[in-house]
Amino acid sequence: MRCERCGWPVDEAPVLSTHSTSQGWVRYRRCVCGTLSIQLVTPGGSSGTVAAPAAGSAGTR
């Protein structure tokens, strides 16, 4: 998976925090360009971006 803004690999972005949920874990990452991504990581090991920053939020142009 890559950052929607700059194309950097999301898996290489630093993890800000991880929180458990009923479906697995929610992981917050900050890309090198400043974009925040939120991923859902399931017990089976799959992950995906659940949300991208809204227009006008920190880290967007």
Side-chain angles (χ1 to χ4, degrees):
M1 209 179 322
R2 297 199 171 265
C3 174
E4 292 181 15
R5 182 173 175 201
C6 72
W8 188 267
V10 172
D11 290 342
E12 293 181 20
V15 174
L16 300 175
S17 64
T18 303
H19 307 274
S20 62
T21 69
S22 61
Q23 295 181 349
W25 299 269
V26 174
R27 182 176 293 154
Y28 295 85
R29 291 181 179 261
R30 171 101 40 211
C31 183
V32 295
C33 72
T35 300
L36 180 66
S37 69
I38 305 169
Q39 296 177 299
L40 175 63
V41 181
T42 60
S46 64
S47 67
T49 301
V50 234
S57 66
T60 60
R61 292 181 194 184

